[in-house]
């Protein structure tokens, strides 16, 4: 496996993990699983935990050591999830500031 395939494998698995953990589209499935099983609910809501299993399953279809691939995907998924959450928080912060500024300007008029 060359470096391009490894990067594709890593970013693909991390993307799948982030989509499964934080996507609004998958939220009903996560809620259903969480209501049925506490263990699986924690697993599907944790990017590091789910990333490990996504990496493990994907490594069987690629030429990657399952333990190494799963561990690598777990770390990368956690990192990507934190970056996505940080970007969302920054956007929410600025959106709140803009809304407050518009309300303040409306009061002065």
């Amino acid at each position: 496996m060359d470096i391009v395939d490894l990067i594709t494998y890593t970013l693909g698995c991390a993307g799948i993990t982030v989509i499964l953990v934080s996507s609004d589209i998958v939220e009903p499935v996560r809620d259903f699983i969480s209501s049925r099983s506490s263990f699986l609910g924690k697993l599907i809501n944790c990017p590091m935990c789910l990333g490990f299993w996504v990496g493990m399953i994907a490594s069987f279809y690629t030429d990657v050591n399952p333990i190494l691939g799963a561990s690598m995907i777990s770390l990368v998924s956690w990192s990507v999830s934190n970056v996505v959450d940080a970007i969302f928080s920054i956007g929410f912060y600025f959106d709140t500031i803009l809304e407050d500024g518009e309300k303040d300007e409306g009061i002065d008029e």
Side-chain angles (χ1 to χ4, degrees), residues 1 10 25-26 54 58 70 72 94 101 105:
M1 174 177 269
T10 304
I25 295 172
V26 189
V54 167
M72 179 178 59
F94 284 118
E105 288 175 7

Side-chain angles (χ1 to χ4, degrees), residues 32-76:
F32 176 76
I33 291 172
S34 296
S35 68
R36 298 288 181 200
S37 170
S38 172
F39 174 74
L40 292 177
K42 290 177 185 176
L43 177 74
I44 195 116
N45 287 305
C46 172
M48 203 166 201
C49 305
L50 188 62
F52 180 84
W53 293 107
V54 167
M56 179 73 77
I57 292 168
S59 68
F60 290 122
Y61 294 108
T62 59
D63 192 24
V64 177
N65 179 354
I67 300 299
L68 178 63
S71 301
M72 179 178 59
I73 297 304
S74 177
L75 180 64
V76 171

Side-chain angles (χ1 to χ4, degrees), residues 18-29:
V18 169
I19 288 170
L20 291 175
V21 169
S22 61
S23 172
D24 289 338
I25 295 172
V26 189
E27 188 173 1
V29 176

